[in-house]
Amino acid sequence: MQERHKLVALCFAASFIGYIDRVNISVAALAMQEQYGWSETIKGFVLSAFFIGYLLFMVPSGWLANRFGGKRVLLVAVLWWSIFTLITPLAAGMSFAALIAARIAMGLGEAAMFPAAYNLYSRWVPVGERSRAVALMLAGIPLGTLFALMTTGVMVKHYGWPSVFYAFGLVGLVWCVVWLKLAYDRPADHPNLTPAERTLLRAVAPDQHPKEPVPWGKLLRSSAVWALIINHLCSNWVLYMLLAWLPSYFRKVLHLDIQSASLYATAPWLVMFVCGIASGWLADSWIKGGADATFVRKFMQISGLLGAAACMWLARDVSSPEVALGLMCGALGALAMTWGGFISNHLDIAPRYADVLLSITNTAGTLPGVLGIAVTGWLVDVTGTFTAAFVLAACVNVFGALVWLFFATARPVVK
């Protein structure tokens, strides 16, 4: 395995660990809710608290990665969020406020995950491999979610809900040891690169990026950047809603038990993993074959958003677990197509500042985690069903597709 592939694999592992750490509470919260007597609205606050920290530290983490390099920033981030995963049961036992504080602190750490990785990708990943590399890293989202859903219900049933936080927190500490040994900020610093790989990567980033001020104004005046900002929000609405509420949907609406609800919710994330990897390969192959990169980004993004919107709309009155499962699989499978659309577009339009740009767009992309999850809980409490939440998600996706159609580009706006 070449060294750049090892780095991409380790970034995938960090993404995987981050998502098992943030998803385990969506299942554990079912048992925590019964123990502590939470309403759906209160549970929504617990599930969304993570995203407050995630939102607050997103832009600072992008600047830190750009200034100090992705290796150190990602190491500190994984160490930080793993520690707060470990202490979650202690915080919950102390008070509701302590639990909220621990979840916010965990979000602060995870905010640096993707900006730090994009910083490294800008030096380590050739242009023709970027869609695939980004898709593989994002594959940690459905795979981490899938793993957490498959294991958390079983662990809660047999060992109690605190066990999931202890076990998964320790995994992050192990990753830190491996990362410290194998990762390097720059290809020029790596002692084991082959001559061929060193030559290839020198063409990606000839030297350390100069420490120039981030061109905030030029970025924020670009319509393509605003298309990215809006589409990151719209694409994440369905993702975060299902990430937090899918087990509860199968439990409360379709009347499955806790273990069955967590297992039933796994299939959509497996579909998302397969479709996401395929979307990265398709986008890279299409562009390598001579297709216009802007057309490819638009096709992947718009198809993904509209496909997910259609599934959300059709799911609004479903009462069969099997039909609901099929539509959830369709929604997340379609949404994975956007991995070859907006999520790879950061490296197209601002390759030297992709870390900062991602931190800007992901700030908007985190709002569904704060507002969308809480609004979903409120809508379920008020209406007694997920119908209104699904209709709202469909409308958000259609809006994102229209913005992307008119304003997106793959041409660099900042070099």
Side-chain angles (χ1 to χ4, degrees), residues 95-385:
S95 68
F96 178 73
L99 174 60
I100 294 296
R103 295 298 296 176
I104 291 173
M106 183 182 166
L108 291 173
E110 290 213 18
M113 163 66 229
F114 292 116
Y118 269 60
N119 174 272
L120 292 164
Y121 278 18
S122 69
R123 296 179 176 88
W124 281 92
V125 181
V127 173
E129 299 177 9
R130 284 179 175 171
S131 295
R132 285 171 288 172
V134 169
L136 181 60
M137 178 173 61
L138 292 183
I141 297 175
L143 277 190
T145 302
L146 180 67
F147 182 84
L149 292 173
M150 290 180 65
T151 58
T152 300
V154 176
M155 293 174 70
V156 169
K157 180 177 181 179
H158 294 286
Y159 305 106
W161 63 263
S163 65
V164 301
F165 299 101
Y166 299 142
F168 296 157
L170 288 173
V171 172
L173 300 183
V174 173
W175 179 94
C176 290
V177 175
V178 178
W179 179 257
L180 194 59
K181 181 178 180 180
L182 297 181
Y184 291 83
D185 266 314
R186 300 182 304 162
D189 297 333
H190 203 298
N192 298 322
L193 285 182
T194 63
E197 189 172 24
R198 193 176 298 278
T199 299
L200 174 65
L201 295 179
R202 191 175 292 120
V204 176
D207 294 298
Q208 177 85 14
H209 293 165
K211 303 300 182 184
E212 298 176 355
V214 175
W216 300 101
K218 191 171 184 179
L219 288 171
L220 293 176
R221 286 192 298 268
S222 168
S223 60
V225 168
W226 280 101
L228 260 178
I229 291 170
I230 292 169
N231 269 262
H232 209 143
L233 186 155
C234 295
S235 299
N236 277 8
W237 191 279
V238 170
L239 173 69
Y240 283 141
M241 182 182 74
L242 297 185
L243 193 68
W245 287 102
L246 199 54
S248 296
Y249 171 66
F250 284 116
R251 168 78 164 149
K252 302 291 184 179
V253 176
L254 302 173
H255 310 298
L256 302 178
D257 60 40
I258 291 178
Q259 185 173 345
S260 297
S262 67
L263 291 175
Y264 224 74
T266 59
W269 301 105
L270 181 59
V271 172
M272 188 181 201
F273 164 71
V274 173
C275 292
I277 294 295
S279 76
W281 281 92
L282 176 60
D284 273 348
S285 299
W286 210 348
I287 292 170
K288 279 185 176 181
D292 178 68
T294 297
F295 172 80
V296 172
R297 299 300 184 214
K298 286 189 175 184
F299 178 87
M300 302 297 287
Q301 181 70 14
I302 293 170
S303 298
L305 286 178
L306 294 183
C311 290
M312 288 289 97
W313 181 264
L314 293 172
R316 65 192 188 282
D317 296 318
V318 168
S319 58
S320 163
E322 291 74 22
V323 174
L325 179 62
L327 289 171
M328 296 303 109
C329 287
L332 288 179
L335 195 63
M337 290 185 67
T338 65
W339 296 3
F342 88 99
I343 201 65
S344 301
N345 191 235
H346 300 76
L347 291 160
D348 295 330
I349 67 174
R352 281 179 51 191
Y353 301 99
D355 42 17
V356 174
L357 179 57
L358 181 71
S359 72
I360 295 171
T361 70
N362 205 20
T363 298
T366 303
L367 292 177
V370 179
L371 298 177
I373 291 176
V375 167
T376 298
W378 177 76
L379 287 172
V380 172
D381 266 346
V382 170
T383 66
T385 73

Side-chain angles (χ1 to χ4, degrees), residues 2 24 40 45 52 81 83 92 124 140 143 179 195 198 201 210 216 256 288 352 377 402 407 413:
Q2 298 189 69
N24 57 21
E40 293 299 319
F45 289 147
I52 297 173
W81 89 57
I83 289 172
W124 281 92
L143 277 190
W179 179 257
R198 193 176 298 278
L201 295 179
W216 300 101
L256 302 178
K288 279 185 176 181
R352 281 179 51 191
L402 290 172
F407 297 107
V413 298

